[in-house]
């Protein structure tokens, strides 16, 4: 038995040294990037919530179980890693015990002969084996060779995945070989319970040599597997809990990250592009959390399968965005870590690799990939290991816009209009109050301070004040608040864009300028409560303005209206006998978890037959307007709004409802195209939930 122990312990030492060297390299690479102190601070300050999240997301596999077959398989395979660690404890105990006494009859102190533990070890191993079969079937069924772009594994490193499945299989069969042989030699610690090991023993001869070989094989497979894991995408076994721990944890996707340089929030009055980091122009501008995202990506493709850009034949795959950066980082890592002073000694091909732009026609990321993103958040919502794809995209956009001045030309007009006129269309500020003239009651316009008795500031938004279709929603909400007796006022010409389009495009400086102006005005006016009809305004006011000192109680109009209906202050009475399908706005749903209230309102309107689309709620499909795409031409692939309307038409609706002015415009345009081609009935229209409610409350059509 001595030779077995020597081989086992020497192999363990070598494997741990190789794995440790790789881990040290990964740590050095991650920490060569930008610091992210806010991640550590948040984790410390919210330790209780983080523990709960680890229990729910890591141990409970909440996100993975949203996809039941693959999620269930992963659940058992993941728990096999935890539970079978006790088998490896027994294996090493047997190794050392055999070296000392010559007999490998080790058992874990206190619990080592408990039949329940023996049963659990065998059960989880068998369950993991079934899980491996399920994984193999899923991968074969969804093979890129068969499905091409429609496969969520398209672009993934497939060879590594099959290798890992094979290694897990090796762990399981060597475990049963070792345990079955131990049963026959009398060295097995469990008298009963280990049903699979006992079954294996019946087909094995009684042989101490076989037990020793099984023990070495079982340990050897694990050591080889360890080296494979730390050198592959399956590094997520170790990094996923860390990535979940340090991810941002708002209720939804929340605010865009502030721009930082050296870990400190940029002050644009003092920032210097020659010294400070503006977004991400090269791989070393990535924060250590960004590198942790790279290490943790499992290449499962869930993000890709849900991405509206990828689903409409555009080049953006959130998965490939992470993989391509990771692969590039690993290629340049040895040279980055060697230091700038050795650059002169590098050959031309290495220098070309180091100088390769992060974004460019010949860059790591193609510009078409970067500008296809709508910021819808489907990728972040679906990622089982909390990778924050949008943060990566925004940082790269910030560098392109603010340093390279490289972005779609149409967006330049939008930025100029925001800077000069305070709205994306460049319309005169006085037009912001014209919709009020079409109402038969007075709406107070706040010019300096909130009038006494006024509870809410109604943030109308640029679209709500200036876009004809969105103005119908604005008037409907104003009427409903008036009927319910809610005292509200508007800013009228004093209101300016929240800055959302600028920020989501990457022009952080302009966002800061607009936001600070608005915050100063709101604070001086003493505003405490805000109701907004635009989810983009809602998200910016509620989640992003606090970054700059503007903290208010902000609600979306569907939240307030649902509350008023519940209280009986608004009573829908007139039936609307229509089949209606509801489209979830991304910045209301995924970004802020407001799914119930719009549906609650529709449920209270008599006669409405609600029809859910296949992709709804947290799997809802974007209209195509987010991420400043509202002001950029969609030249690649199928139009996202057309894809969404095609899906809506499968429910044969009389009306499509939503709760966002951008969605109104995008879906309305696509519906009009369908009407012109004869693919949709002429009576089909898209309306805001508030328009449905006012129609039922008043019992008459809403004035356009």
């Amino acid at each position: 038995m001595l030779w077995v122990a020597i081989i086992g312990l020497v192999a363990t030492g070598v494997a741990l040294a190789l794995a440790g060297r790789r881990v040290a390299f990964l740590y050095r690479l991650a920490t060569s990037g930008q610091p992210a102190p806010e991640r550590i601070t948040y984790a410390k300050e919210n330790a209780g919530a983080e523990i709960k999240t680890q229990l729910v997301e890591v141990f409970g596999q909440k996100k993975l179980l949203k996809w039941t077959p693959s999620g269930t398989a992963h659940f058992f395979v993941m728990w096999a890693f935890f539970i079978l660690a006790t088998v490896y404890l027994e294996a090493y105990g047997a190794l050392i015990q055999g070296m000392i006494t010559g007999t490998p009859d080790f058992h874990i102190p206190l619990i080592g002969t408990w039949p329940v533990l023996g049963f659990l070890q065998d059960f989880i191993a068998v369950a993991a084996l079934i899980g491996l079969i399920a994984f193999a079937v899923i991968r074969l069924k969804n093979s890129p060779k068969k499905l091409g772009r429609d496969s969520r594994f398209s672009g993934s490193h497939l060879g590594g995945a099959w290798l890992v499945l094979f290694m897990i299989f090796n762990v399981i069969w060597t475990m049963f070989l070792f345990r079955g042989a131990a049963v026959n030699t009398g060295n097995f610690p469990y008298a009963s319970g280990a049903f699979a090991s006992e079954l294996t023993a019946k087909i094995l001869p009684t042989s101490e040599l076989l037990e020793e070989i099984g023990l070495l094989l079982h340990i050897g497979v694990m050591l080889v597997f360890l080296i494979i894991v730390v050198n592959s995408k399956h590094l997520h076994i170790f990094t996923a809990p860390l990535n979940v721990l340090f991810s941002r944890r708002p209720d939804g996707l929340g605010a865009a990250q502030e721009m930082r340089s050296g870990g400190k929030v940029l002050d644009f009055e003092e920032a210097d592009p020659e010294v400070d980091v503006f977004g991400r122009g090269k791989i070393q501008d990535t924060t250590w959390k960004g590198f942790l995202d790279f290490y943790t990506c499992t290449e499962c493709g869930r993000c890709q399968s849900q991405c509206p850009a990828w689903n409409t034949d555009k080049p953006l795959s959130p998965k490939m965005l992470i993989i391509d950066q990771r692969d590039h980082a690993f290629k340049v890592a040895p040279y980055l870590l060697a230091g700038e002073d050795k650059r002169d000694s590098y050959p031309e091909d290495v220098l070309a690799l180091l100088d390769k732009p992060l974004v460019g026609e010949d860059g790591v990321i193609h510009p078409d990939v970067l500008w296809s993103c709508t910021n819808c958040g489907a990728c972040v919502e679906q990622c089982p290991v909390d990778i924050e794809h949008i943060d990566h995209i925004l940082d790269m956009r910030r560098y392109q816009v603010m340093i390279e001045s490289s972005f779609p030309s149409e967006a330049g007009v939008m930025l100029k209009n925001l800077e000069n006129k305070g709205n994306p269309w460049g319309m005169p500020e006085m037009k912001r109050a014209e919709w009020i003239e079409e109402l038969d009651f007075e709406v107070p316009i706040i010019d300096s301070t909130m009038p006494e008795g006024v509870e809410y500031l109604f943030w109308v938004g640029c679209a709500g004040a200036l876009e004809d279709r969105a103005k119908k929603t604005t008037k409907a909400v104003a009427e409903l608040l008036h009927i319910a007796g809610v005292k509200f006022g508007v800013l009228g010409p004093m209101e300016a864009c929240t800055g959302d389009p600028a920020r989501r495009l990457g022009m952080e400086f302009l966002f800061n300028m607009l936001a600070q102006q608005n915050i100063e005005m709101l604070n001086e006016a003493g505003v405490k409560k805000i109701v907004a009809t635009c989810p983009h305004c809602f998200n910016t006011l509620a989640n992003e303005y606090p970054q700059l000192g503007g903290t208010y109680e902000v609600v979306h109009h569907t939240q307030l209206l649902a509350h008023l209906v519940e209280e009986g202050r608004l009573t829908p009475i007139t039936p609307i006998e229509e089949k209606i399908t509801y489209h979830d706005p991304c910045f209301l749903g995924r970004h802020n978890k407001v799914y119930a209230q719009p549906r609650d309102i529709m449920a209270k309107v008599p006669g409405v037959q609600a029809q859910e689309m296949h992709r709804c709620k947290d799997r809802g499909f974007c209209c195509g307007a987010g991420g400043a795409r509202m002001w950029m031409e969609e030249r690649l692939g199928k139009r996202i709004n057309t894809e969404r309307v095609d899906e809506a038409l499968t429910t044969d609706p009389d009306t499509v409802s939503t709760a966002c002015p951008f969605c109104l415009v995008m879906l309305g345009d696509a519906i009009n195209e369908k009407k012109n081609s004869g693919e949709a009935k002429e009576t089909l229209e898209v309306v805001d939930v508030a328009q449905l409610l006012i129609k039922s409350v008043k019992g008459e059509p809403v004035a356009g």
Side-chain angles (χ1 to χ4, degrees):
M1 190 68 193
L2 181 62
W3 67 273
V4 176
I6 292 172
I7 293 174
L9 294 175
V10 169
T12 300
V14 172
L16 289 177
L18 292 173
R21 181 182 177 188
R22 177 66 175 179
V23 171
F25 161 76
L26 294 171
Y27 177 80
R28 287 173 58 219
L29 178 58
T31 53
S32 71
Q34 289 288 303
E38 74 283 1
R39 303 290 185 146
I40 297 173
T41 300
Y42 183 88
K44 287 181 178 178
E45 292 177 350
N46 297 273
E50 292 301 331
I51 291 171
K52 179 181 177 181
T53 301
Q54 290 289 318
L55 293 174
V56 172
E57 286 197 22
V58 178
F59 295 100
Q61 301 277 277
K62 178 183 178 181
K63 283 191 172 183
L64 277 158
L65 288 170
K66 288 181 179 179
W67 296 34
T68 306
S70 59
T72 303
H74 192 279
F75 180 87
F76 285 116
V77 172
M78 184 272 297
W79 271 100
F81 276 91
F82 295 130
I83 295 173
L84 296 187
T86 61
V87 176
Y88 275 105
L89 179 58
E90 291 171 347
Y92 273 100
L95 198 71
I96 296 170
Q97 182 85 3
M99 181 176 66
I100 296 172
T101 67
T103 306
D105 60 350
F106 174 83
H107 66 267
I108 301 171
L110 300 179
I111 61 170
T113 59
W114 190 29
V116 173
L117 180 58
F119 169 81
L120 192 57
Q121 291 168 335
D122 277 20
F123 169 79
I124 201 66
V126 172
L129 186 59
I130 296 171
L132 295 183
I133 296 170
F135 282 146
V137 170
I138 290 169
R139 285 191 169 272
L140 291 171
K141 184 179 178 182
N142 294 280
S143 169
K145 290 182 179 179
K146 183 190 299 184
L147 301 179
R149 185 185 176 92
D150 291 335
S151 169
R152 64 185 174 96
F153 301 117
S154 175
S156 298
H157 298 126
L158 301 176
W162 285 109
L163 176 59
V164 166
L165 292 183
F166 177 64
M167 291 306 298
I168 298 173
F169 169 71
N170 287 336
V171 167
I172 294 172
W173 78 258
T174 57
M175 166 190 150
F176 285 127
L177 174 64
F178 159 56
R179 286 161 70 89
V183 170
N184 288 338
T185 60
N187 294 323
F188 194 59
Y190 305 101
S192 63
F195 62 97
S197 297
E198 292 168 1
L199 184 63
T200 305
K202 293 179 180 179
I203 61 175
L204 295 177
T206 300
S207 168
E208 290 185 359
L209 179 60
L210 183 62
E211 181 185 3
E212 292 168 351
I213 292 172
L215 175 59
L216 279 181
L217 282 174
H218 191 48
I219 289 175
V221 165
M222 180 271 291
L223 295 175
V224 172
F225 192 15
L226 173 64
I227 295 171
I228 291 173
V229 164
V230 297
N231 285 276
S232 73
K233 75 183 186 71
H234 284 80
L235 183 64
H236 77 268
I237 293 171
F238 302 114
T239 60
L242 293 174
N243 210 49
V244 171
L245 174 66
F246 293 118
S247 63
R248 297 192 285 127
R249 203 156 311 287
D251 186 15
L253 302 185
Q257 284 282 75
E258 297 169 281
M259 278 185 67
R260 293 175 180 266
S261 177
K264 297 180 180 179
V265 177
L266 273 181
D267 181 345
F268 286 104
E269 293 184 1
E270 299 179 359
D272 181 359
E274 297 294 326
V275 177
D276 293 306
V277 174
F278 274 59
R280 190 181 305 178
K282 49 188 182 295
I283 200 68
Q284 52 267 48
D285 293 338
T286 308
T287 66
W288 60 259
K289 173 57 173 66
F291 278 101
L292 197 56
D293 280 350
F294 300 160
Y295 300 164
T296 308
C297 179
T298 69
E299 302 183 23
C300 67
R302 293 186 182 213
C303 58
Q304 180 175 288
S305 72
Q306 302 299 302
C307 176
W310 183 260
N311 277 286
T312 52
D313 297 322
K314 296 173 179 60
L316 168 62
S317 159
K319 175 185 70 178
M320 295 307 300
L321 180 94
I322 299 299
I323 293 174
D324 288 345
Q325 290 183 87
R326 180 187 69 196
D327 290 349
H328 177 67
F330 284 156
K331 287 177 184 176
V332 302
Y335 312 107
L336 290 179
L337 297 179
E340 188 71 23
D341 56 326
K342 295 186 179 180
R343 186 181 176 92
D344 293 339
S345 64
Y346 296 151
E348 288 297 322
D349 59 334
V350 171
L351 290 173
L353 188 64
L354 284 170
D355 293 333
K356 189 174 186 178
L358 193 54
V359 177
E361 293 290 336
D362 298 315
V364 179
I365 306 297
H366 193 278
D368 287 342
V369 170
L370 191 67
W371 298 111
S372 293
C373 179
T374 66
N375 277 208
C376 74
C379 50
V380 183
E381 174 71 33
Q382 289 298 327
C383 180
V385 290
D386 284 3
I387 292 171
E388 295 160 334
H389 312 76
I390 291 178
D391 290 353
H392 290 262
I393 289 170
L394 280 181
D395 271 348
M396 285 186 275
R397 283 187 172 189
R398 285 162 170 170
Y399 182 85
Q400 292 301 303
V401 172
M402 302 181 71
I403 301 300
E404 297 292 335
S405 297
S406 176
F407 50 89
S409 57
E410 318 91 283
V413 177
M414 179 267 289
L415 292 176
K416 189 175 294 183
N417 288 335
L418 284 177
E419 188 173 359
N420 296 331
K421 297 292 185 179
N423 68 80
W425 291 281
M427 297 177 73
E429 61 185 23
M430 296 309 296
K431 281 188 168 292
R432 283 186 176 273
E434 286 185 357
W435 63 271
I436 299 175
E437 299 170 7
E438 301 172 31
L439 300 175
D440 57 6
F441 57 90
E442 184 179 351
V443 175
I445 296 178
I446 302 164
D447 54 5
S448 57
T449 59
M450 288 281 283
E452 188 175 346
V454 172
E455 184 179 6
Y456 284 95
L457 168 68
F458 180 11
W459 188 276
V460 179
C462 301
L466 304 172
E467 206 283 325
D468 288 340
R469 284 166 286 189
K471 281 199 284 188
K472 295 178 182 179
T473 303
T474 302
K475 289 182 285 184
V477 171
E479 283 196 76
L480 287 165
L481 295 180
H482 178 69
I483 292 169
V486 176
K487 301 297 182 182
F488 69 96
V490 298
L491 291 171
M494 295 286 290
E495 187 179 291
C497 181
T498 60
D500 168 82
R503 181 170 235 194
R504 297 290 164 171
L505 183 75
M507 180 52 84
E508 188 76 6
F509 173 76
L510 181 54
F511 165 75
N512 263 259
M513 184 182 77
L514 290 167
Q516 287 172 354
Q517 290 174 358
N518 285 329
I519 289 169
E520 183 179 354
M521 177 182 57
L522 291 170
N523 289 346
E524 287 181 358
V527 173
K528 303 296 182 185
K529 293 183 178 181
I530 300 175
V531 56
T533 54
C534 174
H536 298 263
C537 296
F538 167 56
N539 182 70
T540 306
L541 291 165
N543 299 322
E544 299 184 347
Y545 275 22
Q547 295 172 343
L548 298 169
T551 303
Y552 317 101
E553 182 183 328
V554 188
V555 295
H556 188 254
H557 73 279
T558 56
Q559 293 176 303
L560 181 55
L561 294 180
H563 176 68
L564 295 173
V565 170
E566 188 67 28
E567 283 191 334
R569 294 168 68 181
L570 290 172
T571 306
I573 51 173
T574 303
I576 299 178
E577 303 289 348
E578 294 180 0
K579 285 196 294 184
I580 300 176
T581 189
Y582 175 72
H583 163 80
D584 286 283
C586 300
F587 274 72
L588 185 63
R590 270 188 297 268
H591 280 260
N592 287 282
K593 301 298 183 186
V594 179
Y595 298 117
Q597 290 89 336
R599 291 173 170 82
D600 291 343
I601 292 171
M602 291 171 56
K604 292 293 177 65
V605 175
V608 168
Q609 303 168 49
Q611 307 281 328
E612 290 283 12
M613 285 183 261
H614 172 65
R615 291 184 285 208
C616 61
K617 298 181 181 178
D618 62 355
R619 288 201 191 183
F621 199 77
C622 184
C623 75
R629 291 268 356 148
M630 180 83 169
W631 292 274
M632 291 183 255
E633 288 296 325
E634 196 170 346
R635 298 185 176 92
L636 301 173
K638 182 180 181 179
R639 294 181 67 88
I640 293 174
N641 59 340
T642 302
E643 173 73 11
R644 186 54 165 168
V645 165
D646 281 341
E647 186 167 349
L649 291 177
T650 63
T651 68
D652 188 29
D654 299 309
T655 298
V656 177
S657 69
T658 188
C660 171
F662 289 5
C663 297
L664 271 177
V665 171
M666 299 298 286
L667 299 180
D669 288 347
I671 285 173
N672 288 336
E673 289 177 4
K674 294 294 181 182
K675 288 180 181 179
N676 293 336
S677 63
E679 297 175 72
K681 49 194 175 188
E682 285 299 319
T683 55
L684 181 63
E685 61 178 349
V686 55
V687 299
D688 191 276
V689 171
Q691 292 174 266
L692 293 173
L693 182 59
I694 190 67
K695 185 177 180 180
S696 181
V697 168
K698 292 182 66 177
E700 60 186 47
V702 184

